Amino acid sequence: MRRLRINISILHRWSGLVLGLYVALMGISGTAMVLQSTFYEWEFGADIMSYEDKPQAWALPSVWLENAQAKYGPIEHIEGIFGPETTPMRIGAPTIIYDTERAGGGHGHGVVVVDPYTGEPKAHFIAEDTAAVWPLWLHHSMFMGDAAIPTIMILSILIMVFCVSGVFLWLQRPKTKKSDLKIAGFSSPPKMRRSHATLGIWLCVPLFLFAITGFGLARFDISMAFASLLGMADGTVASENQQMCATPSADRAWTTALEANPGSEITMFFLPSERNAGYQIFMGPEGTRYPTRGNSEVRVLSECSTLTHFRPAEANRIGDVMLSYMLDFHNGKIGGIVGETLVFILGLIVFLLPLVGIAAHVWRTAQKKKR
């Protein structure tokens, strides 16, 4: 057991020293992402980047799109229409998102902020050209370019290893006192190491869960395979009308989804593209952004507005619920202000933990050399 403890201690220390700064970078960018909607409000104005909820139906998609193109010119490669804070950018108002080329070259995401009740556009910008997008960019890229996804996977696994090895080393301490659960301070290497351990023990469980969900978001194919093992609702609807006819408008697909799931509102509305043969629509109960069993899903075929798939929230199985809530759990949206505060604090601790550990090691090494 003693040899195992030494090996785990070496693994915990040196993996932290080698990759600790990347872990800290992931933590601080995740913390900033909690404030991203606020950053957009600072950059463009709170009245533009937010909206007042009213007891009336949203305008149909054709109104949104026609008004946007009348004001800003032709908009091509439209990805979809999104409710407030349902995009990775966490913009606080409903938006139209489309793929575009940036003026300086490269791919970008065009954003049109819309008043959902009148369909009038309020703002238009390329997300990658804004200052507010940097936390999202940093969290997803980690300065690694094409190697970002493998890097995020490695860092997610590393945080899980830190949690497990840290708990093991804590339990192997010769004596655990109540005072060990208090922050010892940072005035000497031993106190810094004890504070490092205390912070890790306090939050090892939520840190582990956030690392798992981060890994699952980085590799959604693995998440889908795991969800299938847990069980997912079929939800396929037999089509009665398969003959070819005119491609429906977005309005008809929107109406078909609302008719299929009365009492719900649309949160994400994806238009046909190379990835989607038809309209893919996610819905939640009116006035409730986080239903107890995840979102409903509706798919409408591009021909004749035929309903090909309907999965109400009540039919969701464990796998569907896991996928519905994975992103919302990871960014703290499930718990409202409490959840976002917890994610903010966790991000700061993920930022501080490796820095404190590295500082304690460097300080201790320097003292040994002096002696």
Side-chain angles (χ1 to χ4, degrees):
M1 181 61 74
R2 181 175 179 273
R3 187 62 192 171
L4 176 64
R5 180 172 61 81
I6 292 173
N7 289 336
I8 290 179
S9 177
I10 292 172
L11 171 67
H12 189 91
R13 181 186 310 118
W14 285 104
S15 58
L17 291 172
V18 172
L19 293 174
L21 292 179
Y22 263 111
V23 174
L25 191 63
M26 179 176 282
I28 196 62
S29 60
T31 295
M33 282 179 66
V34 175
L35 302 174
Q36 197 164 13
S37 60
T38 304
F39 293 159
Y40 275 107
E41 290 179 4
W42 288 345
E43 189 166 352
F44 293 97
D47 56 332
I48 293 176
M49 304 307 291
S50 60
Y51 87 113
E52 182 182 352
D53 196 10
K54 300 177 182 178
Q56 65 186 74
W58 286 7
L60 291 172
S62 62
V63 179
W64 293 35
L65 301 175
E66 288 170 5
N67 288 343
Q69 298 197 68
K71 188 170 184 178
Y72 303 120
I75 297 175
E76 299 178 348
H77 309 297
I78 296 172
E79 182 179 332
I81 290 173
F82 298 86
E85 296 195 10
T86 56
T87 69
M89 293 165 278
R90 300 189 70 169
I91 295 171
T95 53
I96 301 170
I97 306 292
Y98 65 96
D99 294 330
T100 187
E101 296 296 324
R102 299 170 66 186
H107 173 77
H109 292 87
V111 179
V112 180
V113 182
V114 178
D115 181 326
Y117 303 106
T118 65
E120 288 299 318
K122 301 163 66 178
H124 177 226
F125 55 88
I126 307 301
E128 286 75 8
D129 293 338
T130 64
V133 83
W134 77 263
L136 176 66
W137 173 83
L138 181 60
H139 199 71
H140 287 185
S141 72
M142 303 298 293
F143 297 114
M144 298 297 291
D146 294 336
I149 295 299
T151 302
I152 291 172
M153 291 168 58
I154 292 170
L155 292 178
S156 298
I157 293 172
L158 184 61
I159 292 175
M160 289 186 266
V161 170
F162 282 156
C163 291
V164 174
S165 59
V167 170
F168 176 83
L169 293 172
W170 176 272
L171 295 176
Q172 292 299 310
R173 293 160 69 97
K175 260 190 179 181
T176 301
K177 307 173 186 175
K178 287 185 179 180
S179 60
D180 292 335
L181 293 174
K182 297 179 181 179
I183 301 297
F186 304 95
S187 58
S188 66
K191 288 185 176 182
M192 292 181 76
R193 291 177 65 192
R194 279 164 48 196
S195 298
H196 174 88
T198 301
L199 286 171
I201 286 297
W202 278 0
L203 295 169
C204 61
V205 172
L207 281 175
F208 190 88
L209 292 176
F210 278 100
I212 287 180
T213 52
F215 181 90
L217 292 169
R219 285 296 303 271
F220 203 72
D221 55 336
I222 296 177
S223 300
M224 283 291 295
F226 184 67
S228 298
L229 293 176
L230 295 176
M232 299 179 70
D234 182 13
T236 301
V237 176
S239 175
E240 298 177 357
N241 185 7
Q242 293 290 353
Q243 75 268 22
M244 298 295 291
C245 59
T247 301
S249 66
D251 290 356
R252 182 57 195 151
W254 182 284
T255 304
T256 300
L258 292 174
E259 289 173 350
N261 200 13
S264 295
E265 60 186 21
I266 292 174
T267 56
M268 291 184 283
F269 182 83
F270 294 98
L271 278 67
S273 65
E274 294 179 357
R275 292 173 292 180
N276 292 325
Y279 297 90
Q280 186 177 19
I281 305 151
F282 293 92
M283 311 177 72
E286 290 181 345
T288 305
R289 194 170 297 174
Y290 310 112
T292 55
R293 290 193 60 81
N295 291 313
S296 306
E297 180 185 0
V298 179
R299 294 181 191 172
V300 179
L301 196 65
S302 294
E303 293 82 23
C304 308
S305 297
T306 305
L307 184 67
T308 60
H309 181 95
F310 174 45
R311 191 197 71 225
E314 295 76 20
N316 282 342
R317 297 175 66 185
I318 295 177
D320 301 302
V321 175
M322 184 199 80
L323 293 177
S324 291
Y325 281 112
M326 187 161 58
L327 176 60
D328 288 342
F329 177 85
H330 190 75
N331 60 26
K333 288 170 65 177
I334 286 180
I337 187 65
V338 175
E340 291 188 345
T341 302
L342 177 60
V343 172
F344 184 87
I345 294 172
L346 280 173
L348 287 178
I349 290 177
V350 170
F351 173 68
L352 291 173
L353 274 177
L355 297 183
V356 171
I358 291 171
H361 176 80
V362 172
W363 193 353
R364 185 185 181 195
T365 303
Q367 286 185 340
K368 283 185 177 180
K369 285 184 178 180
K370 284 183 180 179
R371 286 197 294 267

